[in-house]
Amino acid sequence: MNKYIYELELKVRDYECDLQGIVNNANYQHYIEHTRHEFLLSAGISFAYLHQQQIDPVVARITMDFKTPLKSGDCFISKLYIKKEGIKYIFYQDLFRSSDLKIVLKSKVETVCVINGRLGHSELLDKTLSPYILNEL
């Protein structure tokens, strides 16, 4: 079974690389964040709209396992799937180099919602994301 529910193809830009000629580690967070934002847009909701509703999804924890470095000009595919644990939405996000589909990064992003300035449960986000939540098999 393909657990991924969304994917986005991206390309490494020169300025994202460090002196070793590989993507600087901090840029991987940009890649996976951009993927989450694009996923939400594809699901019909934006961070701007959520904020207007005083619902602010925020990152509580990120773990990233770097497997293969990307270099300038590399194209890669960012894929994700979601699980829900209590009030947390957990995004499992993996990056694959397009040329050979080699795994580049495995990450787990735990998010929570701040609603009207307080940690809470968002019915709007639950409704929007429910068709995409991976249930245990």
Side-chain angles (χ1 to χ4, degrees):
M1 178 190 96
N2 182 4
K3 59 190 169 198
Y4 300 106
I5 52 137
Y6 183 79
E7 65 181 58
L8 180 67
E9 187 152 3
L10 299 164
K11 185 176 180 178
V12 175
R13 296 162 289 208
D14 293 340
Y15 64 84
E16 296 169 330
C17 297
D18 56 24
L19 289 174
Q20 291 90 8
I22 59 175
V23 171
N24 180 277
N25 65 80
N27 287 307
Y28 291 94
Q29 279 190 268
H30 294 271
Y31 299 153
I32 61 176
E33 180 176 23
H34 182 64
T35 302
R36 287 192 308 278
H37 284 234
E38 290 295 315
F39 163 69
L40 282 180
L41 286 172
S42 77
I45 200 162
S46 71
F47 269 81
Y49 177 77
L50 288 168
H51 181 71
Q52 290 168 355
Q53 305 305 306
Q54 298 187 11
I55 301 167
D56 292 304
V58 296
V59 171
R61 176 180 300 181
I62 294 179
T63 57
M64 298 191 310
D65 296 322
F66 299 92
K67 302 296 187 180
T68 303
L70 290 170
K71 298 177 182 176
S72 181
D74 280 348
C75 291
F76 61 97
I77 304 163
S78 180
K79 299 183 179 189
L80 68 76
Y81 64 95
I82 310 169
K83 292 184 179 179
K84 184 142 193 256
E85 293 180 7
I87 63 169
K88 291 189 292 189
Y89 294 97
I90 303 174
F91 291 83
Y92 293 86
Q93 296 185 247
D94 301 330
L95 304 182
F96 299 87
R97 189 169 51 206
S98 295
S99 63
D100 57 6
L101 299 180
K102 191 164 188 174
I103 186 75
V104 171
L105 176 83
K106 294 187 77 53
S107 67
K108 179 180 174 183
V109 182
E110 297 179 25
T111 64
V112 293
C113 288
V114 176
I115 302 167
N116 296 316
R118 302 184 105 156
L119 187 63
H121 172 80
S122 168
E123 289 182 24
L124 174 59
L125 207 50
D126 277 350
K127 182 180 176 183
T128 302
L129 295 181
S130 66
Y132 305 103
I133 302 290
L134 181 67
N135 295 313
E136 296 299 324
L137 299 174

